[in-house]
Amino acid sequence: MNKLSYLIMLLAGMLSMASCGSDDVEEKDLENPVISEAGITANPIDCQVYKRGDVIPFQYVFTDNKALGSYNIEIHNDFDHHTHSTSATDCPLDAKKEPVNPWVYNQDFTIPAASKSFTGRQDIKIPTTIDTGDYHFMIRLTDEAGHQQIKGIAIKITD
């Protein structure tokens, strides 16, 4: 077989392989999941005030175009007035202070496999011995492809 015949056969083989695409090939997930308040009374929302010993009845709707993965809730102090820039709401802040016994909460939660929509609900007990003041309530939602959406909520804990 000469070189020209070999090249023609190689090119024909490559073209036939390229034309054998499948309509069943799943498209990659390129979209972030969504944290929503749609159709529910979302909680917490910016500027809500809770007392030590109370429960925060967390509730948000999560959606994704393909499949949700998991979510995380983190609560940490905002005694230094830092920001996470996920909300345009300005809540009244206490004076800056040094933490003595700040609340730190960080918990992962699973979502049933292949769910495109899920309502996250958790009752989170506020410890009675923590510092009062300004806190951030962070929600991190991840889909199965690893894309993430973050929502930061400013709350206050009082006596």
Side-chain angles (χ1 to χ4, degrees):
M1 185 184 297
N2 66 26
K3 280 187 174 181
L4 182 58
S5 297
Y6 177 75
L7 287 173
I8 290 173
M9 286 178 55
L10 182 62
L11 182 59
M14 290 172 63
L15 286 173
S16 88
M17 286 174 52
S19 67
C20 293
S22 171
D23 291 337
D24 295 336
V25 174
E26 190 167 332
E27 293 181 31
K28 288 186 178 181
D29 183 356
L30 302 175
E31 294 182 30
N32 287 342
V34 175
I35 300 168
S36 172
E37 302 173 15
I40 62 165
T41 302
N43 199 68
I45 58 173
D46 277 321
C47 307
Q48 278 188 309
V49 178
Y50 298 92
K51 292 184 178 191
R52 292 191 286 191
D54 282 353
V55 169
I56 300 173
F58 168 79
Q59 179 171 267
Y60 273 86
V61 174
F62 306 136
T63 58
D64 189 63
N65 63 318
K66 298 282 185 181
L68 294 164
S70 63
Y71 66 101
N72 170 277
I73 297 174
E74 177 198 344
I75 303 169
H76 62 266
N77 77 77
D78 183 24
F79 300 162
D80 63 355
H81 299 175
H82 66 275
T83 182
H84 295 282
S85 301
T86 65
S87 175
T89 304
D90 287 327
C91 302
L93 297 173
D94 294 345
K96 289 183 179 182
K97 66 180 182 179
E98 289 296 318
V100 175
N101 188 27
W103 185 21
V104 178
Y105 178 93
N106 193 332
Q107 183 71 47
D108 294 321
F109 299 95
T110 58
I111 296 173
S115 297
K116 288 186 176 185
S117 181
F118 180 78
T119 301
R121 292 184 181 97
Q122 301 297 327
D123 285 335
I124 302 169
K125 177 84 167 151
I126 302 169
T128 58
T129 58
I130 62 164
D131 293 341
T132 59
D134 302 305
Y135 283 85
H136 285 148
F137 190 106
M138 304 296 298
I139 308 165
R140 289 179 182 84
L141 175 63
T142 306
D143 67 13
E144 282 187 351
H147 303 292
Q148 191 175 78
Q149 185 68 36
I150 298 173
K151 182 172 182 67
I153 302 160
I155 64 172
K156 190 178 295 287
I157 308 293
T158 64
D159 282 325

